[in-house]
Amino acid sequence: MNKPNAPWLKFFGNIPETLEYPQGSMYEAIKYACDNNLNDNGGYKNTAYVFQGKKTSYTEFFKSVDTVAKAFKAIGINAGDKVTICMPNAPQGIDAFYALNRIGAVPAMIHPLSAEGEINFYVTNSNSKAIVVLDMFYEKVLRALEGVDYPVKVIVARIKDALPFPLNMLYPLTVKEKPAPLPADNKDVVSWSDFVSGARKVKELPEGFPSKDETAVILFSGGTTGVSKGIELTNMNMNALGYEVQAGAGFPMHKLRMFSVMPLFHGFGLGVGIHTALTAGATCILIPQFTIKTYAKDVLKYKPNVIVGVPTLFEALLRSDGFKDADLSFLRGVFCGGDSLSVELKKKVDAFLKEHKSGVQIREGYGTTECVTASCLTPFDYFREGSIGIPFPDIYYQIVDPKNDTEVPYGTEGEICICGPTVMKGYLDNAAETASTLRRHADGNVWLHTGDLGTMDEDGFIYYKQRLKRLIVVSGFNVYPSQVENTIDAHPDVLLSCAIGVPDPYKMHKVKAFVVLRPGVEPSDKIREEILEHCRKNISKHAMPREIEFRTELPKTLVGKVAYRQLEEEEEAKLKKQEEESK
């Protein structure tokens, strides 16, 4: 298992190579952090989370979680049962998540913007007995549940109820489309307040807690066949991640403020933005919806010490007008994951942070939902260009030949495989996909096959290249879209780019680039030619874009990644239409 010992100590200082992890549930891990760090005259007075200015202390948090746990028991949710949570980053979603863990039930996290068909799939796939949803989406949920052949309790929460006064009175006035009133004739639909009031029917919660190896949460991911899969993550997976991120951060996270903007349904948002913060006794600043208009306002109002996000969030940082002359010296850590951070975007963000009095660099991490999220990280004050960092304590990497799973030498490209305490339990009710992804190698260890290409240098630094399936093959030569994007992004007038392969009768594929220019720069033939000339100087002939299309923005996935597949589908549809018209 590759991870050289000396370089870890060299680049990460006194961080131990192995850690002691909580041996129980997620709930217990947070309780342990509070007992050891926050206990103040019998109470936990530090703030657990802030929502739109309303602070909730750890004492209040645990009281609320226990109450919601009793409410779940009151509607018949027991250990092992599944409950879908379809919520933004709001207190009800956080409380429900940990309340289910308190009683040994399993939350299945999904995006509130999921389509009806997707919701139907998620609920039936997880066999959820209930779903917690925001009021503005509950009608969609009801339509989705029409195809479910068993009763599902729908618990409807309102943002208004979690707001401080007077925002709770003013908020309804700001909503353009008012949610429909709850149906009086459907006993399976209940408001959050009525649901919580049912807690009084349950006198005591179970004395025991779920074990470290029991499933703690289900997150959904796309499969190799294109079918979404439920990823089962255990209490140990979640707790180990929290401890590893704290160790790799390079600074104590105790009582710091985390800017929790990544969504609950995403491993990065849930694992780092929420659970890592709470297991450190830190404060989560819950941001229910990210917009570039409110980005600067929220950051400067709450002064978070830690910001985590995908590259598009930091690209928005550069575009926001609200940071002019802002002092960002309160930042201790800025972490990027969820998608590949181009070298050029890193340079631009680092320069931005320096200009705004922050002494930190943006630090890239790498991981997959199958190991919760991040599994390696750029050291605190050291950076190797193109590297995604060094594995966390107790996490090991192998770079293997995809054809036979044998480890390749340092510097040789192969598939990235991961072994450690954050690797998932498996895919829910999908033995075939589990066996394909979790494989026992010749060393006797079970390795997570990420489907990503990369290399490792002799110091243990990892270099991500590309998804195995996102290679563009031009005349038999492999072209990495990230290489093309990095080159284009280096042009001073370019803000963001995405390269895809489009069918070509002679070359199999040719490269097409979609480019977003910096604010104030208008598309022109001159700029197009400058970009192409820049590419000619920096990438090989077969990797050259044969076409550049300027866009004002690029399509994004629900978690903010560039939706390159949508661009591919647009090109496929365009080509098909051209072929039909030519007949």
Side-chain angles (χ1 to χ4, degrees):
M1 295 193 289
N2 278 350
K3 185 168 70 173
N5 293 328
W8 174 265
L9 299 176
K10 175 181 177 182
F11 297 112
F12 271 90
N14 296 321
I15 298 172
E17 283 209 85
T18 188
L19 304 173
E20 291 186 13
Y21 302 103
Q23 297 300 299
S25 65
M26 296 188 297
Y27 179 96
E28 290 174 286
I30 301 173
K31 208 76 158 79
Y32 176 83
C34 290
D35 287 338
N36 283 272
N37 296 313
L38 304 178
N39 200 10
D40 184 5
N41 296 325
Y44 310 125
K45 293 185 179 179
N46 193 45
T47 302
Y49 54 72
V50 179
F51 184 69
Q52 301 298 294
K54 184 178 181 179
K55 297 179 179 180
T56 298
S57 72
Y58 273 89
T59 297
E60 295 167 328
F61 166 68
F62 283 117
K63 182 179 179 181
S64 180
V65 167
D66 286 356
T67 299
V68 175
K70 289 179 179 179
F72 275 122
K73 291 286 289 183
I75 64 169
I77 303 299
N78 296 303
D81 289 339
K82 315 295 194 309
V83 173
T84 296
I85 296 180
C86 182
M87 290 286 293
N89 293 4
Q92 298 98 323
I94 307 294
D95 293 350
F97 175 77
Y98 287 104
L100 291 167
N101 186 250
R102 172 67 182 85
I103 61 175
V106 182
M109 315 300 288
I110 70 171
H111 199 299
L113 297 182
S114 299
E116 291 175 25
E118 292 174 316
I119 294 172
N120 178 284
F121 172 83
Y122 296 142
V123 170
T124 55
N125 185 255
S126 62
N127 194 32
S128 288
K129 290 188 174 182
I131 181 169
V132 180
V133 64
L134 203 62
D135 56 356
M136 63 183 68
F137 303 118
Y138 95 88
E139 289 181 292
K140 176 177 64 174
V141 165
L142 290 184
R143 292 192 296 270
L145 294 179
E146 290 176 0
V148 179
D149 59 5
Y150 62 89
V152 179
K153 199 78 171 180
V154 180
I155 303 161
V156 183
R158 302 187 302 176
I159 289 291
K160 171 182 178 292
D161 295 338
L163 295 173
F165 180 82
L167 283 182
N168 58 346
M169 306 301 292
L170 298 174
Y171 175 77
L173 303 177
T174 67
V175 179
K176 294 180 180 179
E177 296 185 18
K178 310 295 182 187
L182 302 191
D185 58 346
N186 191 336
K187 62 181 177 55
D188 287 325
V189 181
V190 60
S191 70
W192 177 266
S193 58
D194 287 344
F195 162 71
V196 171
S197 68
R200 63 178 181 270
K201 301 174 185 177
V202 178
K203 299 300 182 185
E204 300 290 339
L205 288 171
E207 291 185 6
F209 297 89
S211 73
K212 65 176 183 178
D213 296 323
E214 290 182 57
T215 301
V217 60
I218 296 169
L219 300 178
F220 288 92
S221 175
T224 56
T225 60
V227 178
S228 184
K229 307 185 297 296
I231 297 168
E232 291 190 81
L233 299 170
T234 67
N235 286 286
M236 173 57 86
N237 293 156
M238 295 294 291
N239 290 336
L241 174 82
Y243 276 48
E244 287 165 1
V245 172
Q246 290 178 59
F251 53 86
M253 294 181 67
H254 169 53
K255 291 193 177 181
L256 295 186
R257 297 178 301 279
M258 171 78 76
F259 197 62
S260 303
V261 63
M262 292 296 293
L264 279 177
F265 75 92
H266 190 263
F268 198 15
L270 182 67
V272 178
I274 302 295
H275 192 60
T276 293
L278 296 180
T279 57
T283 297
C284 299
I285 300 165
L286 302 179
I287 306 297
Q289 182 180 17
F290 170 79
T291 68
I292 193 169
K293 292 181 179 179
T294 60
Y295 190 8
K297 179 182 176 183
D298 287 336
V299 169
L300 297 177
K301 176 181 179 180
Y302 296 112
K303 292 182 169 53
N305 309 115
V306 182
I307 294 180
V308 298
V310 293
T312 48
L313 184 141
F314 296 108
E315 173 248 329
L317 186 84
L318 304 177
R319 285 197 290 156
S320 176
D321 295 330
F323 286 110
K324 185 179 181 181
D325 299 324
D327 183 344
L328 301 181
S329 58
F330 48 80
L331 289 173
R332 297 288 303 280
V334 177
F335 302 100
C336 181
D339 203 353
S340 182
L341 175 70
S342 74
V343 172
E344 293 304 321
L345 181 56
K346 173 176 169 54
K347 290 178 180 177
K348 293 171 185 176
V349 174
D350 284 347
F352 175 91
L353 292 171
K354 187 175 181 180
E355 289 167 3
H356 291 79
K357 301 179 182 179
S358 173
V360 301
Q361 62 167 325
I362 185 171
R363 298 166 62 190
E364 187 173 10
Y366 164 84
T368 70
T369 311
E370 284 80 354
C371 63
V372 190
T373 179
S375 57
C376 73
L377 182 65
T378 303
F380 181 73
D381 56 0
Y382 183 84
F383 169 66
R384 283 190 180 175
E385 189 166 298
S387 172
I388 51 177
I390 293 177
F392 284 135
D394 300 312
I395 297 292
Y396 292 87
Y397 271 58
Q398 272 191 354
I399 310 297
V400 305
D401 186 332
K403 297 176 183 177
N404 54 28
D405 293 353
T406 58
E407 194 168 3
V408 298
Y410 291 125
T412 304
E413 186 176 291
E415 183 180 7
I416 299 173
C417 296
I418 301 169
C419 180
T422 59
V423 171
M424 69 173 180
K425 184 177 182 178
Y427 294 118
L428 180 65
D429 299 327
N430 198 331
E433 285 276 8
T434 299
S436 173
T437 304
L438 299 181
R439 305 181 206 166
R440 193 173 299 279
H441 289 187
D443 59 10
N445 294 294
V446 174
W447 292 84
L448 166 64
H449 282 248
T450 65
D452 290 335
L453 292 174
T455 62
M456 180 191 295
D457 67 23
E458 293 184 359
D459 284 335
F461 281 83
I462 311 299
Y463 298 80
Y464 169 82
K465 298 299 182 182
Q466 197 68 61
R467 288 291 299 172
L468 273 169
K469 291 196 170 185
R470 209 195 156 197
L471 282 174
I472 303 173
V473 181
V474 179
S475 300
F477 292 95
N478 290 340
V479 174
Y480 298 122
S482 58
Q483 179 193 17
V484 180
E485 292 159 1
N486 284 341
T487 302
I488 294 175
D489 289 352
H491 190 281
D493 289 329
V494 172
L495 182 65
L496 188 66
S497 68
C498 180
I500 67 168
V502 296
D504 183 88
Y506 301 106
K507 301 176 182 293
M508 184 183 292
H509 287 95
K510 61 184 178 181
V511 178
K512 177 173 180 177
F514 296 84
V515 176
V516 178
L517 297 174
R518 282 185 168 278
V521 180
E522 294 296 323
S524 67
D525 290 339
K526 180 176 180 292
I527 290 179
R528 178 181 283 106
E529 184 53 36
E530 286 178 359
I531 293 171
L532 290 173
E533 183 59 29
H534 179 70
C535 289
R536 292 186 191 102
K537 294 178 180 178
N538 292 281
I539 56 178
S540 60
K541 185 177 180 181
H542 55 262
M544 276 291 298
R546 302 301 165 184
E547 183 181 354
I548 290 179
E549 180 176 326
F550 293 113
R551 296 272 185 109
T552 55
E553 60 182 6
L554 297 180
K556 305 291 197 307
T557 66
L558 292 177
V559 296
K561 298 181 183 181
V562 175
Y564 71 87
R565 183 59 193 144
Q566 182 176 328
L567 294 172
E568 290 174 345
E569 290 171 350
E570 290 177 14
E571 291 300 306
E572 290 167 2
K574 187 188 301 182
L575 182 62
K576 184 178 180 180
K577 183 179 180 181
Q578 290 173 350
E579 290 174 347
E580 291 174 348
E581 291 175 348
S582 64
K583 290 180 181 179

